[in-house]
Amino acid sequence: MPDDLREFIRKAEAIGELKTYHGASAELEIGCLTALNWRKQQRALLFDDIPGYPRGYRVMSGSTLTPGLVATALNLPQKSTTRDLQQILRTKLAEWDR
C-alpha cells in the first residue's frame, strides 16, 4: 500500500486517474465537481489552493472511484477489473478469518 496520501496522489497521477483543480471554492465548486465526477466515475479529484483556507490545505474526493484507484490504494495489480478486485478481496478476507 502507499505509505501516505502524498504517495497515493503521485501514483494516481502517474496512472492518469487524478485531476487537480486550483482555486476551487469550498462553498460553491468542490461539492458540485465531486458530484458530477461521481456520476461519470472518471477519476479522483484533488482540490488545492482553496480560497479562504491556509496554503497547503487540500481536499481529495473520489479516491476509490475506479478499479485502478482501488488497486493503487491496496497495492494490487493495476490492470485489475472490478471482478478481479472482488475476488482478490474475498480471498484476502477469507485468509484473515482463519
Side-chain angles (χ1 to χ4, degrees):
M1 287 197 221
D3 290 333
D4 60 20
L5 185 57
R6 288 178 194 93
E7 183 180 348
F8 176 79
I9 289 169
R10 282 190 296 275
K11 288 182 175 186
E13 193 169 39
I15 64 169
E17 294 212 25
L18 179 71
K19 170 99 172 125
T20 302
Y21 289 96
H22 295 276
S25 164
E27 292 80 18
L28 301 173
E29 297 168 310
I30 292 176
C32 181
L33 289 167
T34 296
L36 291 171
N37 185 61
W38 180 81
R39 284 188 193 146
K40 293 182 178 186
Q41 296 185 346
Q42 292 186 333
R43 62 187 82 167
L45 302 179
L46 181 65
F47 299 95
D48 202 355
D49 302 322
I50 302 166
Y53 289 86
R55 187 153 181 77
Y57 184 90
R58 302 186 292 177
V59 173
M60 178 179 247
S61 67
S63 60
T64 56
L65 194 58
T66 68
L69 290 166
V70 172
T72 299
L74 299 176
N75 202 30
L76 296 172
Q78 198 56 60
K79 298 289 185 189
S80 300
T81 64
T82 300
R83 187 165 292 205
D84 295 336
L85 293 170
Q86 289 172 338
Q87 187 57 45
I88 291 167
L89 293 174
R90 279 190 189 117
T91 301
K92 294 281 185 195
L93 288 171
E95 290 172 5
W96 293 335
D97 282 344
R98 291 183 204 166

